[in-house]
Amino acid sequence: MPNFSTIAAGFASLLGGYLIAVLVVHQAWGDATQPQIATSFNAFALLFVMALAIERIVQPFAPALGPDSATPAAALQAAQAAGNQAQANTERAALSKARNRTAIVTWGLATGLACLLAAGTNITLLHAITDRQGTQVAYWLDLLVTGLVVGAGTKPINDLWTRLQNKPADPA
């Protein structure tokens, strides 16, 4: 289980990016009209590209965002080479803990960056989904959902798009 400071760092990164997006970026560019996406282009493609870009931006910094996992990995290899199963289990748990802590902080940073990017481009997920139905969603909520989805990475967006494509058409 990650410790409190790791979880706090992840959520602080998310909250920092979100607040800057809402209070600064949206205030500066919020009056701009939302880009119109041509019928041949899909909003999910743009969100996928945003997620991919954020993954590439965050990836080089991931090792520095959490505890060092190289030391527990080396200790695990040494314990396995020595045939010490109890020590290997301990080192495997330490390696898993270090990687989980890094993942939480990386997720928070990626989500904060996603909020900034979505606010800067004025492209949000719920608006893209509900635009044709005339439903209005509060911008702050739309931005948060977009940040969480894009910050989670490319796989969840791909899964969401696949589910929406496979959804039966509305008879109305």
Side-chain angles (χ1 to χ4, degrees), residues 36-132:
Q36 296 300 314
I37 298 173
T39 56
S40 62
F41 185 76
N42 192 302
F44 286 95
L46 184 55
L47 293 173
F48 185 84
V49 169
M50 288 169 57
L52 189 59
I54 290 170
E55 283 179 356
R56 298 294 70 87
I57 290 169
V58 171
Q59 184 62 37
F61 303 103
L65 295 175
D68 179 29
S69 61
T71 303
L76 173 60
Q77 284 184 336
Q80 288 174 333
N84 187 342
Q85 191 59 38
Q87 184 66 27
N89 289 340
T90 301
E91 298 303 336
R92 189 174 292 114
L95 178 60
S96 177
K97 185 177 181 179
R99 287 181 177 165
N100 287 340
R101 287 180 176 180
T102 300
I104 289 170
V105 176
T106 303
W107 164 78
L109 178 62
T111 302
L113 288 173
C115 288
L116 288 170
L117 192 55
T121 59
N122 202 21
I123 297 175
T124 52
L125 180 62
L126 297 178
H127 178 81
I129 293 172
T130 63
D131 189 34
R132 292 180 180 86

Side-chain angles (χ1 to χ4, degrees), residues 139-164:
Y139 181 78
W140 67 267
L141 178 61
D142 198 358
L143 182 62
L144 181 61
V145 169
T146 302
L148 289 169
V149 171
V150 173
T154 54
K155 184 177 181 338
I157 294 173
N158 189 31
D159 292 347
L160 176 63
W161 174 240
T162 302
R163 287 183 183 170
L164 287 174

